Amino acid sequence: MAEYRRLRVALLGAGAVGSQVADLLLRHGDELADRAGASLELAGIAVRDVDAPRDVDLPRELFTTDAESLILGSDIVIELMGGIEPARTSILQAIGSGADVVTANKALLATHGPELFEAADRVGASVHYEAAAAGAIPIIRPLRDSLAGDRIVRIMGIVNGTTNYILDRMDTEGADFADVLADAQRLGYAEADPTADVEGYDAAQKAAILASLAFHTAVPLDAVYREGITTVTASMIEEARAAGFVIKLLAVCERLDVDGTESISVRVYPALVPHSHPLASVHGANNAVFVEAEAAGSLMFYGAGAGGVQTASAVLGDVVSAARRHIAGGVGVGESTRANLPVVPIGHVTTRYQVTLEVADAPGVLATVAGILSDGGVSVATIVQTVEGDEEPTARLIIGTHRAAEQSLSAAVAALADSSVVERVVSVLRVEGE
Amino acid sequence: MAEYRRLRVALLGAGAVGSQVADLLLRHGDELADRAGASLELAGIAVRDVDAPRDVDLPRELFTTDAESLILGSDIVIELMGGIEPARTSILQAIGSGADVVTANKALLATHGPELFEAADRVGASVHYEAAAAGAIPIIRPLRDSLAGDRIVRIMGIVNGTTNYILDRMDTEGADFADVLADAQRLGYAEADPTADVEGYDAAQKAAILASLAFHTAVPLDAVYREGITTVTASMIEEARAAGFVIKLLAVCERLDVDGTESISVRVYPALVPHSHPLASVHGANNAVFVEAEAAGSLMFYGAGAGGVQTASAVLGDVVSAARRHIAGGVGVGESTRANLPVVPIGHVTTRYQVTLEVADAPGVLATVAGILSDGGVSVATIVQTVEGDEEPTARLIIGTHRAAEQSLSAAVAALADSSVVERVVSVLRVEGE
């Protein structure tokens, strides 16, 4: 093996991803050295509890509880602790001491990304985070580098494996949300507290990261509109299928013209996706990111969105990149946020909608409903009426609208809910990918 | 707009891609400057004939026939002339004068890549070539950077849009190769001389580039096994469909263990792909690259494989990367070819096969055929027999084999061709992606 400069690599965290990263670094060290042009020496693994059980058997002498000392003597710091603190402080320490940083911490990047990138920029260090969005799927470099000469129009991503797994099983089995969630928890596809996944918080963090890169704009997490999938029912999925759609939790990042001002919208919600769209065929816990760019046209990136060893692949790719930069000299490439486009609230977004209502099965109801929508500036494209019950019959109206602004649609739906002919607004779903 | 350092960009060639690159550089200059952190000044466009008609209207004063003077005064040189010379000499001049290079020249990279990379390495320049494989699809950075910490097992790529368009239409319409080719030429999907596409030369160049990156090994073009699609008939496609397959021209790059030595195989041929495989759904002139890696699992990259403006997107992404490197200082990241794995000939490759024979419709034929295969070390998995003709009936045998080494299979097929019971070997197709 060639003689390479030795780089000291600090690993912070030894959970599902961290233990796999350590294992692969130790097992494939020579091969990685050949690729990086530098010998990657795992200097230590900082953890809270040295004796905690790990997924992988690792040399005990690598473990330490003193993260700070480990960081200060290292060339590359891999942060896999998750959460905001102490991850944020550790990364700032690493940057301050001249190390390059690799992190998979989407929560931290979505909330404190600009602070970290500015700190790195000041000293010429680099921050790598391929694993922070869509797991093993290479999406960060394509957005930041490969598409840097293009204008991205729209990103639609299935970026949360847990919710895709749940929705896919609901679609396949006709099962209800709660049953599939319970089974997903039993099988390890969903966590004991599934809130971050099923309420869309995880997807919203990834959406903020993707939109920031795609639109060269620092997108704060609280600018991301978010709905989860807990309200999706088996009958909504059934109705969607009948209309030619599948329901997917999408992260949508879109360039918009709002009254002549170039703007962006970033939003996460369960949406109706036509069966013919490539995202409709993304099954199980897989992820996919569909990108539309002015020059490149439509691109799709598909793969495993999570999993310890899959995510470790993305982390190690970043470690090799960080090592190459450390050897090559020069400053790291900073984030480009100079476009600084305004992020508009959901009210400005225009899509088609599918609105399902329970109404009294009486003459004139259809005309009243259509009138309310029309008065609200929402134009109806299709109405399907089904009647259920024998004694006091209730009709179900499934209304497909033409494109309408969210603010018009929600005002019209509120008016429908108040109307005497509407018994219940069953669901309001947006259509994406037509 | 911020004050940026000005970088002089030279463009060599103004064909379908070049004219789009120039147009986008001129139209989106401010936006690209913000992303690159440098002002990108199109210093000139070197062409053979200043007065030739172009796809896009460009300022006449930019054109020159003096490529050398243009190159020597530039910071970034974009080579889009195609072919080996004078492209090779121009790139070496650019590197020698301290410029970073962007090229989409797959023929040059597949034959002279190592020479160019070594020249760049000596002076710390960078060579970018995202557009050289799979057009607008970001695949170079994912392979070189994102997956640099992983071990790629196999790449299967639909990397030639023309042949995918032809095969897809043959599949959809049941039409014959020659008819669809003629129509594709009329519609601009195939060139007047279609040899480079339909005989697989273009795909072989891309396969060499992808394999070099994936396996950190300089793969020479003549080590790539190549078959085109000119022998594919409507009835082969029909038989494939009946057996659950679609025929795709695939570039396969595979890591193999040959007698205990880690080796690679790089090959291009029309293969049977199961309908359930994601590559089977890649229609029209689109491209897709399916990557299997030890840790990351299965990934797919999908998009437009060709087209002037699509390819220009990839070129401009590289221009922004080159500018960032030029500003950041340090040396460019060189190619990693230190694994230097042996490339084995096709004979060592193991796949399943589908062999179609015309045989006399007589007793004992089946046993004779099975015996010849078995003697040759090829195990039969399925046989379907169909009988055609009335007076002198000819049977067609469609034989699916178990996995066999190519050298055993071809020897057995030669023995079948010599056998008295076989009238004609209709086709031999390999199965990929099971």
Side-chain angles (χ1 to χ4, degrees):
Chain A
M1 192 181 131
E3 267 299 316
Y4 294 121
R5 180 172 152 197
R6 284 170 66 182
L7 296 181
R8 286 171 57 87
V9 179
L11 176 61
L12 315 180
V17 179
S19 54
Q20 294 287 349
V21 166
D23 182 51
L24 291 169
L25 257 179
L26 294 171
R27 283 200 291 123
H28 296 160
D30 288 359
E31 204 163 339
L32 294 174
D34 276 345
R35 298 181 193 171
S39 172
L40 301 168
E41 182 201 342
L42 183 55
I45 308 173
V47 291
R48 264 179 307 200
D49 176 3
V50 167
D51 297 312
R54 316 278 170 210
D55 291 1
V56 182
D57 199 32
L58 296 166
R60 202 174 187 292
E61 64 272 18
L62 286 174
F63 287 93
T64 172
T65 54
D66 181 2
E68 190 168 348
S69 301
L70 179 62
I71 290 166
L72 295 180
S74 294
D75 301 295
I76 296 171
V77 173
I78 309 172
E79 184 277 306
L80 297 172
M81 297 182 282
I84 307 301
E85 287 293 354
R88 175 181 155 275
T89 300
S90 292
I91 289 179
L92 291 172
Q93 279 172 346
I95 291 170
S97 76
D100 287 293
V101 170
V102 175
T103 177
N105 193 329
K106 50 191 174 282
L108 181 62
L109 288 167
T111 51
H112 294 74
E115 180 190 11
L116 303 179
F117 300 139
E118 275 161 33
D121 231 25
R122 275 197 296 277
V123 299
S126 60
V127 178
H128 304 258
Y129 53 98
E130 186 64 79
I137 305 173
I139 184 66
I140 301 297
R141 280 179 189 81
L143 290 178
R144 185 166 68 177
D145 300 324
S146 307
L147 289 161
D150 208 331
R151 303 189 89 234
I152 292 173
V153 177
R154 188 180 293 107
I155 294 176
M156 293 191 292
I158 295 173
V159 294
N160 180 274
T162 303
T163 48
N164 201 59
Y165 176 86
I166 291 173
L167 290 173
D168 194 35
R169 280 197 51 189
M170 288 174 72
D171 187 57
T172 314
E173 301 167 16
D176 258 317
F177 173 77
D179 297 336
V180 177
L181 172 61
D183 207 43
Q185 286 172 315
R186 197 177 53 75
L187 294 167
Y189 284 104
E191 298 190 35
D193 177 357
T195 311
D197 292 319
V198 300
E199 293 293 1
Y201 291 101
D202 173 85
Q205 291 166 353
K206 292 165 179 168
I209 293 171
L210 296 179
S212 297
L213 279 170
F215 302 121
H216 305 275
T217 293
V219 175
L221 181 56
D222 57 18
V224 180
Y225 178 82
R226 180 198 50 76
E227 289 176 23
I229 65 163
T230 51
T231 55
V232 176
T233 62
S235 70
M236 282 161 72
I237 288 178
E238 182 58 40
E239 282 171 15
R241 186 189 300 115
F245 298 106
V246 59
I247 298 180
K248 294 286 186 190
L249 182 71
L250 292 190
V252 182
C253 315
E254 195 172 29
R255 197 186 283 271
L256 297 173
D257 181 312
V258 177
D259 304 330
T261 302
E262 185 159 52
S263 312
I264 56 177
S265 155
V266 190
R267 52 197 198 260
V268 169
Y269 45 56
L272 297 169
V273 177
H275 278 131
S276 58
H277 195 282
L279 288 174
S281 311
V282 176
H283 298 294
N286 286 304
N287 279 199
V289 182
F290 192 84
V291 180
E292 294 166 57
E294 277 186 14
S298 296
L299 302 168
M300 191 163 93
F301 304 81
Y302 168 92
V309 72
Q310 290 88 344
T311 308
S313 166
V315 170
L316 280 171
D318 279 351
V319 170
V320 171
S321 287
R324 288 173 177 164
R325 200 216 63 85
H326 218 86
I327 297 293
V331 299
V333 170
E335 299 304 292
S336 144
T337 58
R338 301 190 188 94
N340 201 19
L341 301 176
V343 187
V344 298
I346 187 78
H348 288 284
V349 172
T350 298
T351 63
R352 293 213 310 110
Y353 294 84
Q354 186 172 296
V355 180
T356 302
L357 306 173
E358 272 175 20
V359 297
D361 186 21
V365 166
L366 210 74
T368 309
V369 165
I372 292 172
L373 286 167
S374 163
D375 290 349
V378 178
S379 167
V380 171
T382 58
I383 297 195
V384 175
Q385 178 164 7
T386 58
V387 180
E388 279 169 25
D390 285 332
E391 300 191 3
E392 250 179 297
T394 301
R396 219 173 164 91
L397 293 186
I398 304 169
I399 303 160
T401 77
H402 287 294
R403 291 183 75 86
E406 176 94 16
Q407 51 202 8
S408 311
L409 190 280
S410 32
V413 168
L416 286 173
D418 284 346
S419 140
S420 58
V421 302
V422 174
E423 292 176 6
R424 191 164 70 95
V425 177
V426 179
S427 63
V428 178
L429 285 167
R430 302 162 191 91
V431 179
E432 299 280 0
E434 283 187 316
Chain B
M1 194 181 130
E3 266 303 316
Y4 293 121
R5 179 170 154 200
R6 285 169 66 182
L7 297 181
R8 288 171 56 87
V9 179
L11 176 60
L12 314 181
V17 179
S19 54
Q20 294 288 349
V21 166
D23 182 51
L24 292 169
L25 257 179
L26 293 171
R27 284 200 291 124
H28 296 160
D30 288 359
E31 205 163 336
L32 294 174
D34 276 347
R35 298 181 193 169
S39 172
L40 301 168
E41 183 200 342
L42 182 55
I45 308 174
V47 291
R48 264 178 306 198
D49 176 5
V50 167
D51 297 311
R54 316 280 169 209
D55 291 2
V56 182
D57 199 32
L58 295 166
R60 199 173 189 292
E61 65 271 19
L62 286 175
F63 287 94
T64 175
T65 54
D66 182 2
E68 189 167 349
S69 300
L70 180 63
I71 291 167
L72 295 180
S74 295
D75 302 295
I76 296 171
V77 174
I78 309 172
E79 184 278 303
L80 297 172
M81 298 182 281
I84 306 303
E85 287 295 356
R88 174 182 156 275
T89 300
S90 292
I91 289 178
L92 291 172
Q93 278 172 344
I95 292 170
S97 75
D100 286 294
V101 171
V102 175
T103 178
N105 193 330
K106 50 191 174 284
L108 180 62
L109 288 166
T111 51
H112 294 75
E115 180 190 11
L116 303 179
F117 299 139
E118 276 161 32
D121 231 25
R122 275 197 296 275
V123 298
S126 59
V127 178
H128 305 259
Y129 53 98
E130 185 64 76
I137 306 172
I139 183 66
I140 302 297
R141 281 181 189 78
L143 290 179
R144 184 166 68 178
D145 301 323
S146 307
L147 289 161
D150 207 332
R151 302 190 91 232
I152 292 173
V153 177
R154 187 179 295 106
I155 295 177
M156 293 190 291
I158 295 173
V159 294
N160 180 275
T162 303
T163 47
N164 201 59
Y165 176 85
I166 292 173
L167 291 172
D168 193 35
R169 280 197 51 189
M170 288 174 72
D171 187 55
T172 315
E173 302 167 16
D176 257 319
F177 173 75
D179 297 336
V180 177
L181 173 61
D183 207 43
Q185 286 172 316
R186 198 177 54 75
L187 294 167
Y189 285 104
E191 298 190 36
D193 177 357
T195 311
D197 292 319
V198 299
E199 293 293 2
Y201 291 102
D202 173 85
Q205 291 166 354
K206 292 165 178 168
I209 293 171
L210 296 179
S212 297
L213 279 170
F215 301 121
H216 305 274
T217 292
V219 175
L221 182 56
D222 57 16
V224 180
Y225 178 83
R226 180 197 52 75
E227 287 177 21
I229 65 163
T230 53
T231 55
V232 176
T233 63
S235 70
M236 281 161 73
I237 289 179
E238 182 59 41
E239 281 171 17
R241 187 189 301 113
F245 299 106
V246 59
I247 298 181
K248 294 286 185 191
L249 183 70
L250 292 190
V252 182
C253 315
E254 196 172 27
R255 197 185 284 270
L256 297 173
D257 181 312
V258 176
D259 304 329
T261 303
E262 185 158 51
S263 314
I264 57 176
S265 155
V266 190
R267 51 198 200 260
V268 169
Y269 45 56
L272 297 169
V273 177
H275 278 131
S276 58
H277 194 281
L279 288 174
S281 311
V282 176
H283 299 294
N286 285 304
N287 279 198
V289 182
F290 192 85
V291 179
E292 292 167 58
E294 277 186 15
S298 296
L299 303 168
M300 192 164 91
F301 305 81
Y302 168 91
V309 70
Q310 290 87 346
T311 308
S313 167
V315 170
L316 280 172
D318 279 352
V319 171
V320 171
S321 288
R324 288 173 178 164
R325 200 217 61 85
H326 218 86
I327 297 294
V331 299
V333 171
E335 300 304 293
S336 144
T337 57
R338 301 193 187 90
N340 203 17
L341 300 175
V343 187
V344 298
I346 187 76
H348 288 284
V349 172
T350 298
T351 64
R352 293 215 307 111
Y353 294 83
Q354 186 170 295
V355 180
T356 302
L357 306 174
E358 271 175 20
V359 296
D361 185 22
V365 167
L366 211 73
T368 308
V369 166
I372 292 172
L373 286 167
S374 162
D375 290 349
V378 178
S379 166
V380 172
T382 59
I383 296 194
V384 175
Q385 177 164 7
T386 59
V387 180
E388 279 169 26
D390 284 334
E391 299 194 1
E392 252 179 296
T394 302
R396 219 173 165 88
L397 293 187
I398 304 170
I399 303 160
T401 76
H402 287 295
R403 290 184 74 86
E406 175 95 14
Q407 53 203 6
S408 311
L409 190 280
S410 30
V413 168
L416 286 172
D418 283 346
S419 139
S420 59
V421 302
V422 173
E423 293 177 5
R424 190 163 73 95
V425 177
V426 179
S427 63
V428 179
L429 286 166
R430 302 162 189 91
V431 179
E432 297 281 0
E434 281 188 317

